[in-house]
Amino acid sequence: QVHLVESGGGLVQAGGSVRLSCVASGLNLRGKTVGWSRQTREKERELVAVQPAIGVKHYDDSVKGRSTISRDDDRGTFDLQINGLKPEDTAVYFCYLNDVGDEFWGQGTQVIVSS
């Protein structure tokens, strides 16, 4: 059974940084696309960063230039770092994995950015 578990959320001051981590169990990350999305009460879930197994990383314009997605397939983990946090980055962040059309999601980790 596949499980994704996020960690690293919390309360952060505007201008600070957060590093979110996702641990995947039940499958190997190799060859799979991983990513992060976020959701607020006002907006639908939006994709913020994607890293395919091979190829270019993609970032939403809202975080481009201040975010980095990375992965460690040997350890079965992938991370999202966001720098220069803004109050509008406040959201629940979800990690996800795509395995040949099957998608798996974590339960989410809350990030609150105080101004």
Side-chain angles (χ1 to χ4, degrees):
Q1 195 170 6
V2 178
H3 288 288
L4 301 180
V5 179
E6 303 96 337
S7 62
L11 177 64
V12 188
Q13 282 194 326
S17 299
V18 68
R19 187 175 186 90
L20 307 177
S21 295
C22 185
V23 178
S25 60
L27 81 174
N28 195 308
L29 288 185
R30 295 186 191 282
K32 299 173 182 63
T33 293
V34 298
W36 290 87
S37 64
R38 64 187 181 187
Q39 187 168 18
T40 67
R41 276 179 283 187
E42 295 79 22
K43 296 172 68 175
E44 293 185 355
R45 191 174 296 191
E46 62 177 0
L47 189 64
V48 293
V50 179
Q51 183 171 4
I54 299 173
V56 179
K57 301 174 185 179
H58 299 274
Y59 298 93
D60 184 78
D61 286 345
S62 62
V63 300
K64 193 176 295 183
R66 58 189 183 94
S67 296
T68 302
I69 185 172
S70 58
R71 61 194 291 168
D72 186 335
D73 290 353
D74 290 333
R75 300 181 69 176
T77 63
F78 53 103
D79 296 347
L80 176 69
Q81 171 133 357
I82 308 176
N83 302 317
L85 284 163
K86 307 173 184 179
E88 51 263 44
D89 292 319
T90 295
V92 178
Y93 286 74
F94 299 86
C95 64
Y96 84 92
L97 179 150
N98 186 295
D99 180 16
V100 195
D102 290 329
E103 284 196 345
F104 303 93
W105 294 84
Q107 292 299 305
T109 185
Q110 174 84 59
V111 174
I112 299 173
V113 183
S114 63
S115 56

